[in-house]
Amino acid sequence: MGTELGVYKTCVSARSTSKEILKKAQDGGIVTQLFAYALDEGIIDGAIVAGPGPEPWRPMPMVALTSEELMASRGTRYNLSPNVALIKEVTRSYGLDKVGIVGTPCQMQAVRKGQLYPAGLRDVPDKIALAIGIFCMENFPYQSIKQLVEDHAGMALPAVKKMEIGKGKFWVYGERGQVVTLPLKVTHKYEQPGCHVCLDYVANLADVSTGSVGSPDGWSTVFVRSKKGDDIWSKAMAAGCFETKPIEQVKPGLELVSKLANEKISKNQKTVESRATFGVNKALRNPYVSPK
Amino acid sequence: MAEKTKKEDKPVADKITVGHVHMSGCTGCLVSLADNYGGLLTILDRYADLVYGLTLADVRHIPKMDVALVEGSVCIQDKLAVEEIKQTREKAAVVVAVGGCACYGNITRFGRGGQPNQPQHESYLPIGDLIKVDVYIPGCAPTPQLIRNVCVMAYLLLKGTKEQKDLATAFLTPLMQLADRGTTACGCDLIYDVINQGLCMGCGSCTASCPVRAITMEYGKPNVNREMCIKCGACYAQCPRSFFNVDVVNQYEGIMEAIDGALK
């Protein structure tokens, strides 16, 4: 396909130089580090992140105005955090002029559509200062995660230290060192159905996108995409925020990213197409064609 | 010594003509247009002549125009209103329904008459139920930025190069498709046409766009308080799973720069 990784200026393998950030980061601490730098430098006034929620491992969108608040949102929560829900409010009661937002590919799509076609997002289009996208294969409703961890993995949610989808498995790490893995096929039926029409793996529309695939443990693969992203990334590099390696020199590298991206897109493209003949002479709607 | 008379420099050769038609609206849509501040003045300097607009200019009758920005719905018991919306269609090459009322009826959907001194003024319809509408700009209020984008794109469509015309067509297509889709809107659209269709992915755009905070995200899915909803259509229009025209949105950076550049 060749377009599966989107448009980008540079791609590297990177990790934060802050030991503090890395302690609880999912991978290389890219999102936390880049937002922390942008906050310190006044490039953003605040960032919409997935903060801690009312139940264990359930994220709640929140506006982080300090590095301390950013630290609380580290780590992947494999269920829905509607970050875009705050995109107008941050420019209202929070009074932000330069907004940072992190999100999945679909949330980056929502942000860009909101900038070009703002129907109910007055003054939002010009205030997006840094949109960081994270790679995403699929997401889960909270109840799915509960079911996977409690029923399938047999662990209590509050006792979980980290969850990870990688190397073909769903990994659950306990606070006391125990590790349970589930084969991915167990997880499939719990996926959010709306993810099955998604044609973006590596957050093509973000200023900077990042994810674990392609880089070794503790490191992240980073795509620098837009002019804004490039500008901020170069400054952060110059300020010594990140250690990097050329992506060509790390294993498994871009080849695996491309492979997974292609797999996601072609599988979901088929789903989109099959919707056209879902009923008997009746189709399900295709958002990529029309709102009708 | 007599001062040299300075002739006003008007690069107006190829402007399009635009009118603002006020039906049963609140003028908030026009205020939104005006809230482009300097951007509106630039548009009026370089790209468009405002040939009609009772709030702003002393032209009494609807003239011929390239683009009619219509706000408000139509009271079908008000003969003059019905006459005016029909005239608008005759006189305008492109009819744009601006705002929730013109597109979908919005708050006037709840009108049912019985108030002095025209208790019989009880039935209000979005303009698309009386005339063919070309483009929708939903929202209550519609955003200054979307009105601006549509104005710039309408100019490019009518006066631009081949490339610009193609871009403008692509940009306006989903807003034309919304006009084709129908004249009813509600938070229920999220239920019928997104969640029920297996398309919702829980991003929260609908919550952000609702002007009355009728939508909350419960465990990642929209929950619509339908008693609060004023039927403006913003949530569905904003949802990235109502329309997502990849060809245009992928060029967001270039398009936003072009629009900024056009208004500099």
Side-chain angles (χ1 to χ4, degrees):
Chain A
M1 278 187 281
T3 56
E4 71 277 6
L5 302 181
V7 176
Y8 61 92
K9 296 180 197 294
T10 49
C11 177
V12 290
S13 190
R15 72 174 176 194
S16 165
T17 47
S18 156
K19 295 243 155 51
E20 196 51 37
I21 287 178
L22 288 178
K23 253 184 214 166
K24 284 195 171 174
Q26 183 76 11
D27 300 298
I30 307 297
V31 180
T32 309
Q33 174 69 76
L34 201 52
F35 275 152
Y37 170 77
L39 262 177
D40 287 347
E41 294 299 310
I43 295 165
I44 58 173
D45 312 315
I48 305 171
V49 295
E55 291 165 87
W57 290 95
R58 184 178 153 202
M60 278 297 254
M62 68 171 248
V63 183
L65 301 169
T66 62
S67 300
E68 291 70 46
E69 286 172 317
L70 281 175
M71 295 298 237
S73 66
R74 284 170 297 173
T76 301
R77 266 66 52 82
Y78 287 99
N79 62 104
L80 310 171
S81 178
N83 287 4
V84 187
L86 285 173
I87 199 80
K88 185 164 70 178
E89 196 58 34
V90 281
T91 69
R92 303 301 200 273
S93 56
Y94 289 85
L96 305 197
D97 287 321
K98 292 169 279 180
V99 177
I101 180 167
V102 60
T104 49
C106 56
Q107 293 177 331
M108 294 298 109
Q109 294 179 338
V111 168
R112 300 318 181 190
K113 174 176 171 177
Q115 288 184 282
L116 284 182
Y117 298 98
L121 299 179
R122 177 175 169 157
D123 295 350
V124 170
D126 307 327
K127 295 190 173 175
I128 307 295
L130 176 58
I132 306 182
I134 42 185
F135 303 177
C136 178
M137 189 57 89
E138 73 277 307
N139 206 345
F140 300 88
Y142 184 67
Q143 292 302 332
S144 293
I145 285 303
K146 213 170 147 81
Q147 201 122 357
L148 283 167
V149 172
E150 292 185 348
D151 293 359
H152 290 271
M155 282 171 72
L157 272 170
V160 172
K161 189 168 80 179
K162 181 174 181 170
M163 294 181 211
E164 193 172 21
I165 294 177
K167 305 177 185 85
K169 291 192 176 83
F170 183 80
W171 302 69
V172 189
Y173 300 89
E175 290 281 4
R176 284 177 297 161
Q178 70 277 45
V179 184
V180 181
T181 59
L182 303 172
L184 278 188
K185 70 168 191 285
V186 169
T187 68
H188 290 327
K189 73 172 179 182
Y190 295 107
E191 292 163 7
Q192 168 179 239
C195 295
H196 296 154
V197 297
C198 175
L199 307 175
D200 186 349
Y201 176 54
V202 286
N204 296 351
L205 295 179
D207 292 310
V208 174
S209 39
T210 182
S212 65
V213 173
S215 291
D217 286 350
W219 290 71
S220 301
T221 303
V222 178
F223 292 98
V224 180
R225 300 183 179 281
S226 67
K227 281 183 197 160
K228 263 184 197 166
D230 194 32
D231 183 44
I232 299 169
W233 182 259
S234 324
K235 286 180 182 157
M237 283 296 295
C241 292
F242 297 105
E243 254 186 280
T244 63
K245 292 177 188 169
I247 193 71
E248 298 76 21
Q249 287 170 24
V250 302
K251 292 272 174 226
L254 270 191
E255 205 178 314
L256 181 65
V257 188
S258 274
K259 178 173 164 261
L260 292 182
N262 276 324
E263 276 175 21
K264 170 173 178 175
I265 296 165
S266 45
K267 182 175 106 236
N268 289 351
Q269 188 68 54
K270 269 188 205 127
T271 307
V272 170
E273 281 158 21
S274 71
R275 293 170 61 90
T277 53
F278 196 83
V280 179
N281 296 324
K282 296 273 183 185
L284 295 178
R285 203 169 63 72
N286 182 346
Y288 303 110
V289 173
S290 134
K292 218 185 320 193
Chain B
M1 210 172 90
E3 261 184 61
K4 214 177 169 188
T5 20
K6 208 177 160 192
K7 229 183 164 186
E8 200 188 348
D9 185 26
K10 271 191 177 174
V12 291
D14 233 10
K15 283 185 179 180
I16 59 171
T17 54
V18 176
H20 170 255
V21 180
H22 200 301
M23 305 304 296
S24 287
C26 71
T27 332
C29 296
L30 182 63
V31 172
S32 269
L33 171 65
D35 280 351
N36 280 296
Y37 304 104
L40 174 62
L41 298 181
T42 307
I43 289 175
L44 293 176
D45 272 346
R46 296 187 203 154
Y47 309 112
D49 275 325
L50 186 73
V51 293
Y52 178 74
L54 291 176
T55 314
L56 299 169
D58 191 22
V59 176
R60 307 294 176 89
H61 301 287
I62 300 174
K64 264 187 105 64
M65 51 197 156
D66 292 323
V67 179
L69 303 172
V70 185
E71 82 167 271
S73 61
V74 187
C75 174
I76 61 172
Q77 286 90 20
D78 178 347
K79 273 190 187 155
L80 184 61
V82 175
E83 189 55 36
E84 278 188 346
I85 195 63
K86 289 182 180 168
Q87 268 183 27
T88 301
R89 182 67 276 184
E90 281 167 26
K91 299 282 178 79
V94 178
V95 172
V96 183
V98 184
C101 292
C103 297
Y104 299 117
N106 205 17
I107 198 75
T108 67
R109 283 288 184 195
F110 300 92
R112 53 182 181 77
Q115 290 176 313
N117 57 358
Q118 300 286 353
Q120 81 287 12
H121 279 190
E122 65 179 22
S123 314
Y124 295 80
L125 290 172
I127 65 171
D129 283 346
L130 280 89
I131 62 168
K132 162 88 171 77
V133 178
D134 303 302
V135 174
Y136 270 14
I137 301 181
C140 179
T143 64
Q145 293 80 19
L146 186 53
I147 305 175
R148 170 198 73 189
N149 294 358
V150 168
C151 286
V152 171
M153 290 297 172
Y155 174 80
L156 294 180
L157 184 69
L158 297 171
K159 304 287 182 186
T161 61
K162 164 87 172 62
E163 253 171 45
Q164 289 171 326
K165 279 183 180 160
D166 289 347
L167 172 66
T169 307
F171 182 91
L172 294 169
T173 294
L175 303 176
M176 299 195 275
Q177 289 172 334
L178 278 179
D180 279 343
R181 177 171 167 267
T183 57
T184 57
C186 177
C188 294
D189 294 344
L190 298 172
I191 301 174
Y192 300 143
D193 286 349
V194 186
I195 303 172
N196 290 175
Q197 285 281 325
L199 293 170
C200 179
M201 42 60 182
C203 68
S205 297
C206 48
T207 296
S209 67
C210 179
V212 297
R213 298 179 194 265
I215 307 169
T216 51
M217 298 298 284
E218 307 295 343
Y219 285 99
K221 298 286 151 164
N223 186 48
V224 183
N225 183 334
R226 296 189 305 281
E227 283 295 299
M228 283 171 74
C229 170
I230 55 166
K231 299 186 185 288
C232 72
C235 56
Y236 185 69
Q238 200 65 74
C239 171
R241 291 285 169 84
S242 62
F243 67 84
F244 192 77
N245 45 341
V246 187
D247 55 332
V248 173
V249 187
N250 275 0
Q251 302 177 58
Y252 78 93
E253 215 182 352
I255 294 175
M256 288 180 66
E257 274 176 13
I259 291 173
D260 282 351
L263 298 180
K264 254 202 189 108

